[in-house]
Amino acid sequence: MLNPITTLFSYYLSRLLRSFVSMAINIVTRMDESEFDVIIADDDEQLQFLLCSEKMSSYDIIDDDSIMPIQIDDKYTTNISVGGTGSTIMVAGSFYIPKYIEKKPLGEDASFICVKEQTIGVADGVGGWAKKGIDSGEYSRELMKNAESAVIKQKLDDTSTSIDLMKVLNEALLNTKAKGSSTACILNLDNDTLRAINVGDSGFVVIRDGVIVYKSEIQQSRFNCPFQLGNGRGLDDSSVAMEVSVPVKAGDIVVLGTDGLFDNVHDFELETIVNGGVDSWDTDVPETLAWRIAQYALDNSKDKEIYTPFSRECFKAGVEHSGGKCDDITVIVANIWPC
């Protein structure tokens, strides 16, 4: 039987090489055009993306005074995930665009991709703590760090069992001492089933054949007040977490994100972006697709006239608001591949 890691590496490398060859041919054939933008967009700085195949989030690809991408620690942004059970594996990549606030340059979102254990997660620190001088981003980052550690520890203790996401969340919550609170959504691929645990308004979708076949539910006490994990009085614990299992198959694409994504991008828009990456090099490089999605969400967030999911929910709640919602944006794209 072929080693699945060797098989995946060979497949990934061959597809990536073909993609770059195809892209090079397209570039050469277009050199006589007046504009040399391989990625069609309004801003010329988009072209910089193609010039930085490694650590894409470390490049200033967005010319904006208030929001900018930053490099995330490799511990939380491992780009390729290999492992798992069943007939499928999950290959994941991420991209993060924080709101730029001088005192909180890392923003309030956090995420991780656990390479071997096929587990990914995002968290969104609740911004209201800023009124008390507390950076809830410290809480979300510690929570995700502890969640990743709990996943690894659980497998080290017992390699024969599946990851228990409730135990992961409980251990992460117990070990997180920072002030603040956060939403959390953690996914694990096990035996061709995507298992998830979710608290708050971060979430995920499963896209099959270009159509969203599953979308996680939002948990909130009232409009714009999501369930949130934390150490303070009146905050939620893991008992409010929603656990779900979603069967997946090779070819599915999972998009996991914080509310900065889902408040600014409609389902049909997300489907369109993902479909635009099918049969292109984006399909093989999940962090590239994650970048495209995050960039689209950012553009919508800055538009004061566009009709967004957030403006729709504001209308339902009787709140006057038009356009997008300025927020941290975290996107993890996970391709489901055959072993």
Side-chain angles (χ1 to χ4, degrees), residues 94-168:
S94 65
F95 201 85
Y96 175 34
I97 306 176
K99 288 188 301 185
Y100 179 71
I101 301 176
E102 186 175 357
K103 294 183 178 180
K104 296 188 293 183
L106 296 179
E108 294 166 337
D109 282 6
S111 66
F112 75 91
I113 299 176
C114 192
V115 179
K116 188 176 180 181
E117 310 309 339
Q118 294 284 269
T119 306
I120 58 181
V122 299
D124 179 6
V126 176
W129 286 97
K131 298 177 182 178
K132 298 183 178 181
I134 295 172
D135 179 5
S136 61
E138 294 182 2
Y139 183 90
S140 64
R141 288 187 289 275
E142 187 178 348
L143 183 70
M144 288 293 96
K145 179 181 178 180
N146 289 332
E148 183 178 15
S149 297
V151 169
I152 296 171
K153 179 177 180 295
Q154 200 175 117
K155 269 301 182 180
L156 288 175
D157 292 342
D158 187 354
T159 59
S160 63
T161 60
S162 301
I163 298 294
D164 186 330
L165 292 181
M166 181 59 79
K167 288 184 179 180
V168 167

Side-chain angles (χ1 to χ4, degrees), residues 15-27:
R15 289 290 300 273
L16 188 60
L17 287 173
R18 287 200 302 270
S19 298
F20 274 114
V21 170
S22 176
M23 185 175 64
I25 294 172
N26 288 336
I27 290 174

Side-chain angles (χ1 to χ4, degrees), residues 134 138-143 146 170-181 230-232:
I134 295 172
E138 294 182 2
Y139 183 90
S140 64
R141 288 187 289 275
E142 187 178 348
L143 183 70
N146 289 332
N170 276 326
E171 185 172 338
L173 183 58
L174 180 65
N175 292 327
T176 301
K177 306 302 181 183
K179 294 181 179 180
S181 60
N231 299 316

Side-chain angles (χ1 to χ4, degrees), residues 295-308:
Q295 175 67 50
Y296 189 92
L298 175 65
D299 291 343
N300 281 359
S301 74
K302 296 187 291 184
D303 193 321
K304 302 302 182 182
E305 303 297 332
I306 194 172
Y307 179 70
T308 63

Side-chain angles (χ1 to χ4, degrees), residues 44-329:
D44 292 339
E45 65 269 20
Q46 304 280 352
L47 185 58
Q48 296 179 37
F49 169 74
L50 294 178
L51 305 179
C52 50
S53 59
E54 297 181 358
K55 300 298 176 192
M56 290 174 290
S57 55
S58 65
Y59 288 78
D60 185 9
I61 57 174
I62 299 166
D63 184 17
D64 188 90
D65 293 332
S66 60
I67 307 177
M68 59 181 294
I70 63 168
Q71 181 173 348
I72 313 173
D73 194 316
D74 287 343
K75 290 177 63 179
Y76 308 118
T77 58
T78 306
N79 291 328
I80 305 299
S81 299
V82 179
T85 60
S87 63
T88 56
I89 55 176
M90 183 164 62
V91 180
S94 65
F95 201 85
Y96 175 34
I97 306 176
K99 288 188 301 185
Y100 179 71
I101 301 176
E102 186 175 357
K103 294 183 178 180
K104 296 188 293 183
L106 296 179
E108 294 166 337
D109 282 6
S111 66
F112 75 91
I113 299 176
C114 192
V115 179
K116 188 176 180 181
E117 310 309 339
Q118 294 284 269
T119 306
I120 58 181
V122 299
D124 179 6
V126 176
W129 286 97
K131 298 177 182 178
K132 298 183 178 181
I134 295 172
D135 179 5
S136 61
E138 294 182 2
Y139 183 90
S140 64
R141 288 187 289 275
E142 187 178 348
L143 183 70
M144 288 293 96
K145 179 181 178 180
N146 289 332
E148 183 178 15
S149 297
V151 169
I152 296 171
K153 179 177 180 295
Q154 200 175 117
K155 269 301 182 180
L156 288 175
D157 292 342
D158 187 354
T159 59
S160 63
T161 60
S162 301
I163 298 294
D164 186 330
L165 292 181
M166 181 59 79
K167 288 184 179 180
V168 167
L169 190 62
N170 276 326
E171 185 172 338
L173 183 58
L174 180 65
N175 292 327
T176 301
K177 306 302 181 183
K179 294 181 179 180
S181 60
S182 172
T183 69
C185 186
I186 304 173
L187 311 181
N188 168 255
L189 179 64
D190 179 54
N191 209 17
D192 304 328
T193 300
L194 195 65
R195 306 185 191 282
I197 190 165
N198 189 38
V199 176
D201 56 3
S202 294
F204 70 100
V205 298
V206 177
I207 299 177
R208 179 174 300 154
D209 298 324
V211 178
I212 293 176
V213 295
Y214 179 83
K215 184 175 184 179
S216 58
E217 295 182 23
I218 291 176
Q219 294 177 297
Q220 58 183 8
S221 55
R222 61 185 186 278
F223 170 68
N224 213 28
C225 293
F227 289 2
Q228 51 196 274
L229 301 170
N231 299 316
R233 185 173 58 183
L235 296 174
D236 299 308
D237 58 28
S238 59
S239 64
V240 304
M242 180 182 298
E243 293 185 273
V244 296
S245 297
V246 184
V248 293
K249 62 181 183 179
D252 288 354
I253 297 177
V254 179
V255 180
L256 170 65
T258 54
D259 65 335
L261 166 63
F262 295 107
D263 279 342
N264 288 301
V265 180
H266 292 284
D267 289 353
F268 75 89
E269 293 175 302
L270 189 54
E271 290 171 341
T272 300
I273 301 168
V274 171
N275 290 337
V278 174
D279 296 325
S280 75
W281 72 304
D282 284 18
T283 307
D284 286 336
V285 187
E287 62 268 26
T288 309
L289 184 54
W291 172 82
R292 286 183 183 272
I293 295 171
Q295 175 67 50
Y296 189 92
L298 175 65
D299 291 343
N300 281 359
S301 74
K302 296 187 291 184
D303 193 321
K304 302 302 182 182
E305 303 297 332
I306 194 172
Y307 179 70
T308 63
F310 185 71
S311 60
R312 178 192 63 209
E313 296 306 311
C314 284
F315 177 78
K316 290 180 180 179
V319 177
E320 186 175 346
H321 178 87
S322 62
K325 177 187 177 185
C326 183
D327 203 353
D328 302 316
I329 300 167

